[in-house]
Amino acid sequence: MTSTLSIRTPDDWHLHLRDGEMLQAVVGHTARQFARAIVMPNLKPPITTVEQAKAYRDRITAALRASQGADAAAGFTPLMTAYLTETINPAELELGYGEGVFSAAKLYPAGATTNSDAGVRDLANIQSVLETMERIGMPLLIHGEVTDPAVDIFDREAVFIEQQLIPLLQRHPGLKVVLEHITTADAADFVATGPDNLAATITPHHLHINRNALFQGGLRPDFYCLPIAKRERHRLALRAAATGGSSKFFLGTDSAPHPRGSKESACGCAGIYNAPFAIESYAQVFEEEGVLDRLEAFASVHGPTFYGLPLNTGTIALERSGSNDSIPGLMELENGSTTPTTLVPFHAGEALNWRLNQAQWHTKAA
Ligand code: DOR
Ligand code: ZN
Protein backbone atom coordinates (compact mmCIF):
# COMPACT_ATOMS: atom_id res chain seq x y z
CA MET A 1 0.00 0.00 0.00
CA THR A 2 1.31 3.49 -0.84
CA SER A 3 2.67 5.18 2.26
CA THR A 4 3.31 8.68 0.97
CA LEU A 5 1.35 10.87 -1.34
CA SER A 6 2.70 14.02 -2.93
CA ILE A 7 0.40 16.41 -4.77
CA ARG A 8 0.68 19.86 -6.29
CA THR A 9 -0.09 22.36 -3.53
CA PRO A 10 -3.87 22.75 -3.35
CA ASP A 11 -6.04 25.84 -2.88
CA ASP A 12 -9.23 26.32 -0.89
CA TRP A 13 -11.87 27.98 -3.08
CA HIS A 14 -14.29 28.72 -0.20
CA LEU A 15 -13.12 29.70 3.26
CA HIS A 16 -14.25 31.70 6.30
CA LEU A 17 -11.31 33.22 8.18
CA ARG A 18 -13.23 35.70 10.39
CA ASP A 19 -11.31 38.54 11.99
CA GLY A 20 -9.42 39.53 15.15
CA GLU A 21 -8.55 36.76 17.61
CA MET A 22 -10.43 34.08 15.70
CA LEU A 23 -8.53 34.95 12.51
CA GLN A 24 -5.22 34.64 14.31
CA ALA A 25 -6.26 31.32 15.84
CA VAL A 26 -7.36 29.65 12.60
CA VAL A 27 -5.40 31.08 9.66
CA GLY A 28 -2.35 28.84 10.17
CA HIS A 29 -4.42 25.70 9.71
CA THR A 30 -5.34 26.75 6.20
CA ALA A 31 -1.95 28.17 5.25
CA ARG A 32 -0.07 25.02 6.17
CA GLN A 33 -1.79 23.04 3.43
CA PHE A 34 -3.19 25.55 0.92
CA ALA A 35 -1.28 28.16 -1.12
CA ARG A 36 -4.36 30.30 -1.78
CA ALA A 37 -7.87 30.61 -0.45
CA ILE A 38 -10.98 32.43 -1.57
CA VAL A 39 -11.87 34.33 1.59
CA MET A 40 -15.56 34.86 2.27
CA PRO A 41 -16.67 38.44 2.93
CA ASN A 42 -19.43 37.83 5.50
CA LEU A 43 -17.85 39.87 8.28
CA LYS A 44 -19.70 42.42 10.35
CA PRO A 45 -19.83 44.84 8.56
CA PRO A 46 -19.46 42.90 5.30
CA ILE A 47 -16.61 43.54 2.85
CA THR A 48 -18.16 45.73 0.17
CA THR A 49 -15.36 48.11 -0.86
CA VAL A 50 -11.88 47.78 -2.33
CA GLU A 51 -10.40 49.57 0.68
CA GLN A 52 -12.09 47.19 3.13
CA ALA A 53 -10.86 44.19 1.14
CA LYS A 54 -7.28 45.47 1.09
CA ALA A 55 -7.34 46.17 4.81
CA TYR A 56 -8.80 42.72 5.54
CA ARG A 57 -6.17 41.09 3.31
CA ASP A 58 -3.47 42.92 5.29
CA ARG A 59 -4.99 41.73 8.58
CA ILE A 60 -4.96 38.13 7.31
CA THR A 61 -1.30 38.30 6.36
CA ALA A 62 -0.40 40.03 9.63
CA ALA A 63 -2.27 37.40 11.66
CA LEU A 64 -0.48 34.63 9.79
CA ARG A 65 2.88 36.30 10.35
CA ALA A 66 2.13 36.75 14.04
CA SER A 67 1.01 33.15 14.54
CA GLN A 68 3.26 31.18 12.15
CA GLY A 69 6.09 33.48 11.12
CA ALA A 70 7.23 35.32 8.02
CA ASP A 71 7.77 32.26 5.78
CA ALA A 72 4.21 31.10 6.35
CA ALA A 73 2.88 34.56 5.59
CA ALA A 74 4.95 34.77 2.42
CA GLY A 75 3.68 31.39 1.21
CA PHE A 76 -0.04 32.09 1.45
CA THR A 77 -2.17 34.32 -0.77
CA PRO A 78 -5.64 35.30 0.44
CA LEU A 79 -7.95 35.91 -2.54
CA MET A 80 -10.53 38.49 -1.56
CA THR A 81 -14.23 38.62 -2.38
CA ALA A 82 -16.87 41.34 -2.35
CA TYR A 83 -20.18 40.88 -0.54
CA LEU A 84 -23.07 41.76 -2.84
CA THR A 85 -25.63 44.06 -1.32
CA GLU A 86 -28.54 45.65 -3.16
CA THR A 87 -26.75 48.99 -3.02
CA ILE A 88 -23.22 47.97 -3.98
CA ASN A 89 -21.79 50.07 -6.78
CA PRO A 90 -20.86 48.07 -9.90
CA ALA A 91 -17.98 50.50 -10.50
CA GLU A 92 -16.47 49.46 -7.15
CA LEU A 93 -16.49 45.82 -8.25
CA GLU A 94 -14.98 46.69 -11.60
CA LEU A 95 -12.27 48.75 -9.92
CA GLY A 96 -11.45 46.02 -7.39
CA TYR A 97 -11.45 43.25 -9.97
CA GLY A 98 -9.32 45.31 -12.33
CA GLU A 99 -6.79 46.02 -9.58
CA GLY A 100 -6.62 42.35 -8.65
CA VAL A 101 -8.00 42.99 -5.15
CA PHE A 102 -11.34 41.24 -5.68
CA SER A 103 -11.12 37.76 -7.19
CA ALA A 104 -14.90 37.27 -7.16
CA ALA A 105 -18.14 38.48 -5.58
CA LYS A 106 -20.36 36.49 -3.26
CA LEU A 107 -24.14 36.39 -3.45
CA TYR A 108 -25.88 35.70 -0.16
CA PRO A 109 -29.65 35.64 -0.39
CA ALA A 110 -30.65 37.84 2.57
CA GLY A 111 -31.28 35.71 5.63
CA ALA A 112 -29.85 32.49 4.15
CA THR A 113 -26.98 32.07 6.62
CA THR A 114 -24.46 33.66 9.03
CA ASN A 115 -24.16 37.44 8.50
CA SER A 116 -26.32 37.43 5.39
CA ASP A 117 -28.76 40.13 6.54
CA ALA A 118 -27.12 42.68 4.26
CA GLY A 119 -27.47 40.29 1.31
CA VAL A 120 -29.78 40.34 -1.69
CA ARG A 121 -33.55 40.13 -1.36
CA ASP A 122 -34.36 40.28 -5.05
CA LEU A 123 -31.91 39.52 -7.87
CA ALA A 124 -33.64 42.16 -9.99
CA ASN A 125 -32.06 44.76 -7.70
CA ILE A 126 -28.52 43.74 -8.68
CA GLN A 127 -29.15 43.43 -12.41
CA SER A 128 -26.56 46.08 -13.32
CA VAL A 129 -24.01 44.49 -10.96
CA LEU A 130 -24.44 41.14 -12.68
CA GLU A 131 -24.21 42.74 -16.11
CA THR A 132 -20.92 44.35 -15.11
CA MET A 133 -19.55 41.08 -13.73
CA GLU A 134 -20.57 39.24 -16.88
CA ARG A 135 -18.84 41.86 -19.04
CA ILE A 136 -15.56 41.86 -17.11
CA GLY A 137 -15.43 38.08 -16.45
CA MET A 138 -15.64 38.37 -12.65
CA PRO A 139 -16.88 35.13 -11.05
CA LEU A 140 -20.15 35.15 -9.10
CA LEU A 141 -20.07 32.82 -6.10
CA ILE A 142 -23.53 31.77 -4.98
CA HIS A 143 -24.94 30.55 -1.69
CA GLY A 144 -27.71 28.66 -3.47
CA GLU A 145 -30.62 28.43 -1.09
CA VAL A 146 -34.01 30.11 -1.13
CA THR A 147 -34.93 31.84 2.11
CA ASP A 148 -38.71 31.42 2.03
CA PRO A 149 -39.50 29.90 5.44
CA ALA A 150 -42.35 27.98 3.82
CA VAL A 151 -39.82 25.93 1.85
CA ASP A 152 -38.51 22.94 3.78
CA ILE A 153 -34.86 23.45 4.79
CA PHE A 154 -33.86 20.23 3.03
CA ASP A 155 -35.38 21.47 -0.25
CA ARG A 156 -33.97 24.99 -0.30
CA GLU A 157 -31.04 24.26 -2.60
CA ALA A 158 -33.05 22.36 -5.19
CA VAL A 159 -35.75 25.06 -5.17
CA PHE A 160 -33.09 27.77 -5.57
CA ILE A 161 -31.80 26.08 -8.71
CA GLU A 162 -35.27 25.95 -10.26
CA GLN A 163 -36.54 29.35 -9.18
CA GLN A 164 -33.40 31.50 -9.19
CA LEU A 165 -30.36 29.93 -10.79
CA ILE A 166 -31.85 28.72 -14.06
CA PRO A 167 -33.39 32.14 -14.86
CA LEU A 168 -30.19 33.90 -13.73
CA LEU A 169 -28.05 31.85 -16.11
CA GLN A 170 -30.54 32.52 -18.90
CA ARG A 171 -30.36 36.26 -18.26
CA HIS A 172 -26.54 36.21 -18.05
CA PRO A 173 -25.30 33.43 -20.31
CA GLY A 174 -21.70 34.65 -20.14
CA LEU A 175 -21.49 35.04 -16.36
CA LYS A 176 -18.98 32.79 -14.59
CA VAL A 177 -20.85 31.15 -11.71
CA VAL A 178 -19.67 28.92 -8.88
CA LEU A 179 -22.50 27.23 -7.02
CA GLU A 180 -20.87 26.99 -3.61
CA HIS A 181 -20.88 24.06 -1.20
CA ILE A 182 -23.37 21.94 -3.12
CA THR A 183 -25.30 19.42 -1.05
CA THR A 184 -27.72 17.65 -3.38
CA ALA A 185 -27.81 15.27 -6.32
CA ASP A 186 -29.94 17.95 -8.00
CA ALA A 187 -27.09 20.47 -7.78
CA ALA A 188 -24.44 17.96 -8.85
CA ASP A 189 -26.49 16.97 -11.94
CA PHE A 190 -27.31 20.57 -12.76
CA VAL A 191 -23.68 21.63 -12.69
CA ALA A 192 -22.36 18.52 -14.45
CA THR A 193 -24.73 19.01 -17.38
CA GLY A 194 -24.58 22.82 -17.41
CA PRO A 195 -22.45 25.18 -19.50
CA ASP A 196 -18.69 25.53 -19.09
CA ASN A 197 -19.08 28.81 -17.19
CA LEU A 198 -20.86 26.98 -14.35
CA ALA A 199 -18.89 25.09 -11.67
CA ALA A 200 -19.31 24.04 -8.03
CA THR A 201 -17.31 23.64 -4.86
CA ILE A 202 -17.80 20.64 -2.59
CA THR A 203 -16.94 20.59 1.12
CA PRO A 204 -15.30 17.70 2.97
CA HIS A 205 -18.17 17.46 5.42
CA HIS A 206 -20.84 17.00 2.75
CA LEU A 207 -18.76 14.11 1.39
CA HIS A 208 -18.57 12.45 4.81
CA ILE A 209 -21.86 13.04 6.60
CA ASN A 210 -25.52 12.84 5.78
CA ARG A 211 -28.36 14.36 7.80
CA ASN A 212 -28.44 11.46 10.23
CA ALA A 213 -25.14 12.70 11.66
CA LEU A 214 -26.96 15.68 13.15
CA PHE A 215 -28.92 13.36 15.43
CA GLN A 216 -26.47 10.51 16.01
CA GLY A 217 -26.86 9.62 19.69
CA GLY A 218 -28.33 13.07 20.47
CA LEU A 219 -28.30 16.56 19.01
CA ARG A 220 -24.89 17.19 17.41
CA PRO A 221 -24.30 20.91 16.84
CA ASP A 222 -20.82 20.33 15.39
CA PHE A 223 -22.42 18.81 12.31
CA TYR A 224 -24.78 21.73 11.79
CA CYS A 225 -23.92 23.83 8.77
CA LEU A 226 -25.70 25.54 5.91
CA PRO A 227 -26.69 24.29 3.47
CA ILE A 228 -27.62 21.50 5.85
CA ALA A 229 -26.44 17.95 5.13
CA LYS A 230 -29.03 15.98 3.15
CA ARG A 231 -30.05 12.33 2.69
CA GLU A 232 -27.52 9.58 1.98
CA ARG A 233 -28.35 9.46 -1.72
CA HIS A 234 -27.26 13.08 -2.02
CA ARG A 235 -23.98 12.42 -0.21
CA LEU A 236 -23.28 9.58 -2.63
CA ALA A 237 -24.03 11.83 -5.60
CA LEU A 238 -21.62 14.44 -4.24
CA ARG A 239 -18.94 11.79 -3.82
CA ALA A 240 -19.45 10.70 -7.42
CA ALA A 241 -19.22 14.32 -8.59
CA ALA A 242 -16.09 15.16 -6.60
CA THR A 243 -14.21 11.99 -7.45
CA GLY A 244 -15.49 11.51 -11.02
CA GLY A 245 -12.81 13.63 -12.63
CA SER A 246 -15.03 16.42 -14.01
CA SER A 247 -13.26 19.79 -14.03
CA LYS A 248 -16.54 21.47 -13.00
CA PHE A 249 -16.09 20.37 -9.40
CA PHE A 250 -13.36 21.58 -7.10
CA LEU A 251 -12.25 21.87 -3.52
CA GLY A 252 -13.87 24.46 -1.25
CA THR A 253 -13.91 23.61 2.43
CA ASP A 254 -16.43 26.18 3.70
CA SER A 255 -14.49 25.88 6.94
CA ALA A 256 -16.54 28.13 9.22
CA PRO A 257 -15.21 28.43 12.77
CA HIS A 258 -17.51 29.49 15.59
CA PRO A 259 -16.37 29.49 19.22
CA ARG A 260 -17.42 26.30 20.96
CA GLY A 261 -19.91 28.16 23.13
CA SER A 262 -21.67 29.59 20.07
CA LYS A 263 -22.05 26.13 18.54
CA GLU A 264 -23.09 24.30 21.69
CA SER A 265 -25.90 26.61 22.70
CA ALA A 266 -29.69 26.76 22.67
CA CYS A 267 -29.48 28.39 19.24
CA GLY A 268 -26.20 27.16 17.81
CA CYS A 269 -24.44 28.79 14.85
CA ALA A 270 -24.13 27.05 11.48
CA GLY A 271 -20.61 26.13 10.44
CA ILE A 272 -18.13 23.27 10.60
CA TYR A 273 -14.48 23.88 11.40
CA ASN A 274 -12.73 21.54 9.00
CA ALA A 275 -9.60 23.57 8.15
CA PRO A 276 -7.15 21.72 10.45
CA PHE A 277 -7.45 18.39 8.58
CA ALA A 278 -9.13 19.39 5.34
CA ILE A 279 -6.81 17.83 2.78
CA GLU A 280 -6.66 14.67 4.87
CA SER A 281 -10.45 14.57 4.94
CA TYR A 282 -10.68 14.82 1.15
CA ALA A 283 -7.86 12.28 0.71
CA GLN A 284 -9.87 9.82 2.78
CA VAL A 285 -12.86 10.19 0.45
CA PHE A 286 -10.80 9.75 -2.72
CA GLU A 287 -9.10 6.71 -1.26
CA GLU A 288 -12.40 5.17 -0.17
CA GLU A 289 -13.70 5.68 -3.70
CA GLY A 290 -10.55 4.03 -5.11
CA VAL A 291 -9.39 7.11 -7.04
CA LEU A 292 -6.66 8.68 -4.95
CA ASP A 293 -4.98 9.55 -8.24
CA ARG A 294 -7.78 12.06 -8.92
CA LEU A 295 -7.33 14.01 -5.67
CA GLU A 296 -4.76 16.36 -7.16
CA ALA A 297 -6.96 17.51 -10.03
CA PHE A 298 -9.90 18.22 -7.70
CA ALA A 299 -7.73 19.94 -5.09
CA SER A 300 -5.13 21.75 -7.17
CA VAL A 301 -6.08 22.00 -10.85
CA HIS A 302 -9.81 22.44 -11.50
CA GLY A 303 -10.20 25.51 -9.27
CA PRO A 304 -7.39 27.67 -10.65
CA THR A 305 -8.31 26.63 -14.18
CA PHE A 306 -11.89 27.84 -13.69
CA TYR A 307 -10.71 31.10 -12.13
CA GLY A 308 -8.09 31.62 -14.85
CA LEU A 309 -5.21 31.59 -12.36
CA PRO A 310 -1.86 29.78 -12.62
CA LEU A 311 -1.46 26.40 -10.98
CA ASN A 312 0.68 26.31 -7.84
CA THR A 313 4.22 25.11 -8.47
CA GLY A 314 5.02 23.58 -5.06
CA THR A 315 3.89 20.31 -3.55
CA ILE A 316 2.56 19.01 -0.25
CA ALA A 317 3.27 15.57 1.12
CA LEU A 318 0.83 13.32 2.95
CA GLU A 319 1.88 10.26 4.90
CA ARG A 320 -0.08 7.29 6.14
CA SER A 321 -1.28 7.94 9.68
CA GLY A 322 0.18 5.93 12.53
CA SER A 323 -2.11 3.77 14.64
CA ASN A 324 -2.07 6.36 17.45
CA ASP A 325 -2.89 9.34 15.28
CA SER A 326 -6.39 10.55 15.84
CA ILE A 327 -8.03 13.92 15.42
CA PRO A 328 -8.24 15.84 18.71
CA GLY A 329 -11.66 16.27 20.24
CA LEU A 330 -10.97 19.93 21.00
CA MET A 331 -8.37 22.43 19.86
CA GLU A 332 -7.14 25.20 22.14
CA LEU A 333 -5.62 27.73 19.78
CA GLU A 334 -3.34 30.67 20.48
CA ASN A 335 -4.86 33.90 19.26
CA GLY A 336 -2.62 36.66 20.60
CA SER A 337 -4.73 37.14 23.73
CA THR A 338 -4.40 35.54 27.16
CA THR A 339 -7.32 33.14 26.63
CA PRO A 340 -7.05 30.60 23.80
CA THR A 341 -9.83 30.01 21.27
CA THR A 342 -11.53 26.64 21.75
CA LEU A 343 -12.81 24.92 18.63
CA VAL A 344 -14.11 21.46 17.84
CA PRO A 345 -12.53 20.29 14.57
CA PHE A 346 -14.41 18.22 12.01
CA HIS A 347 -13.61 14.50 12.54
CA ALA A 348 -13.03 15.13 16.27
CA GLY A 349 -11.93 11.89 17.90
CA GLU A 350 -11.78 9.96 14.61
CA ALA A 351 -8.82 8.45 12.81
CA LEU A 352 -8.07 9.41 9.20
CA ASN A 353 -5.86 7.44 6.83
CA TRP A 354 -3.56 10.32 5.90
CA ARG A 355 -1.63 13.00 7.72
CA LEU A 356 -0.06 16.10 6.24
CA ASN A 357 3.70 16.06 6.71
CA GLN A 358 4.05 18.71 9.42
CA ALA A 359 7.72 19.32 8.81
CA GLN A 360 7.37 21.27 5.61
CA TRP A 361 5.53 24.37 4.48
CA HIS A 362 4.48 24.37 0.86
CA THR A 363 6.07 26.80 -1.55
CA LYS A 364 4.33 29.84 -2.95
CA ALA A 365 2.21 29.90 -6.08
CA ALA A 366 4.01 30.89 -9.26
O1 DOR B 1 -22.49 26.71 7.77
C1 DOR B 1 -22.22 27.80 7.31
N1 DOR B 1 -21.45 28.68 7.99
N2 DOR B 1 -22.73 28.12 6.13
C2 DOR B 1 -22.60 29.36 5.64
O2 DOR B 1 -23.12 29.60 4.59
C3 DOR B 1 -21.90 30.42 6.40
C4 DOR B 1 -20.96 29.86 7.36
C5 DOR B 1 -20.50 30.86 8.39
O3 DOR B 1 -20.08 31.96 8.00
O4 DOR B 1 -20.53 30.55 9.58
ZN1 ZN C 1 -19.36 29.60 3.38
Side-chain angles (χ1 to χ4, degrees):
M1 207 190 310
T2 335
S3 61
T4 60
L5 175 64
S6 174
I7 60 167
R8 185 185 289 277
T9 308
D11 304 300
D12 185 349
W13 299 96
H14 186 129
L15 175 68
H16 298 269
L17 282 176
R18 315 302 192 202
D19 215 340
E21 290 176 7
M22 181 64 92
L23 167 62
Q24 186 155 330
V26 303
V27 65
H29 283 150
T30 291
R32 66 193 258 280
Q33 54 194 303
F34 298 109
R36 297 171 289 198
I38 283 278
V39 180
M40 288 295 134
N42 62 334
L43 302 185
K44 268 190 166 165
I47 303 294
T48 54
T49 68
V50 180
E51 284 315 307
Q52 282 175 319
K54 281 186 187 162
Y56 185 30
R57 188 172 62 183
D58 289 347
R59 294 198 297 282
I60 293 167
T61 304
L64 188 52
R65 194 179 303 112
S67 64
Q68 311 295 329
D71 284 356
F76 179 69
T77 305
L79 302 173
M80 310 312 291
T81 58
Y83 183 117
L84 295 185
T85 67
E86 294 196 343
T87 54
I88 199 164
N89 183 352
E92 186 75 12
L93 291 182
E94 188 162 5
L95 176 73
Y97 188 66
E99 285 187 356
V101 177
F102 289 139
S103 295
K106 178 74 187 282
L107 169 64
Y108 287 103
T113 187
T114 310
N115 294 345
S116 63
D117 301 351
V120 174
R121 261 154 247 286
D122 184 346
L123 287 175
N125 295 332
I126 58 162
Q127 179 76 14
S128 63
V129 170
L130 298 178
E131 281 165 8
T132 299
M133 292 178 65
E134 184 176 13
R135 174 170 55 77
I136 66 179
M138 182 177 189
L140 174 71
L141 317 182
I142 300 184
H143 183 113
E145 288 192 286
V146 292
T147 55
D148 179 352
V151 177
D152 191 281
I153 187 170
F154 294 99
D155 297 333
R156 287 179 191 171
E157 183 174 276
V159 173
F160 181 91
I161 292 169
E162 291 299 321
Q163 291 186 352
Q164 306 281 338
L165 186 55
I166 292 175
L168 182 144
L169 291 169
Q170 278 165 357
R171 286 194 300 274
H172 304 281
L175 186 61
K176 268 188 174 180
V177 171
V178 183
L179 188 55
E180 297 290 337
H181 43 53
I182 60 169
T183 60
T184 56
D186 312 62
D189 290 348
F190 184 72
V191 171
T193 57
D196 289 348
N197 52 316
L198 174 66
T201 54
I202 305 182
T203 75
H205 42 282
H206 290 109
L207 296 171
H208 281 279
I209 62 167
N210 62 30
R211 65 191 198 174
N212 289 344
L214 282 154
F215 310 106
Q216 192 86 48
L219 194 55
R220 305 287 294 273
D222 295 316
F223 294 133
Y224 175 52
C225 65
L226 289 171
I228 198 157
K230 309 294 193 297
R231 289 178 180 278
E232 178 65 359
R233 78 174 177 87
H234 295 292
R235 185 183 75 96
L236 296 178
L238 296 173
R239 282 195 160 221
T243 63
S246 163
S247 61
K248 296 173 128 269
F249 300 103
F250 43 86
L251 187 159
T253 64
D254 199 15
S255 179
H258 292 277
R260 189 183 181 199
S262 308
K263 292 283 300 168
E264 299 174 12
S265 103
C267 188
C269 295
I272 293 181
Y273 186 50
N274 60 32
F277 306 98
I279 196 66
E280 294 94 328
S281 182
Y282 284 112
Q284 178 97 13
V285 170
F286 279 74
E287 181 161 53
E288 286 168 2
E289 297 295 328
V291 287
L292 208 43
D293 56 318
R294 292 189 187 152
L295 174 65
E296 182 177 69
F298 176 79
S300 319
V301 178
H302 298 164
T305 304
F306 186 83
Y307 274 80
L309 293 171
L311 305 189
N312 296 319
T313 52
T315 57
I316 57 165
L318 298 171
E319 295 167 350
R320 278 228 174 261
S321 300
S323 51
N324 292 327
D325 287 341
S326 64
I327 308 298
L330 272 185
M331 301 180 98
E332 304 265 346
L333 303 171
E334 298 293 330
N335 57 24
S337 84
T338 48
T339 340
T341 298
T342 305
L343 293 169
V344 178
F346 185 49
H347 295 298
E350 293 173 26
L352 292 174
N353 293 350
W354 294 93
R355 269 304 167 89
L356 188 67
N357 181 333
Q358 303 277 337
Q360 48 170 209
W361 283 84
H362 59 72
T363 49
K364 195 173 170 64

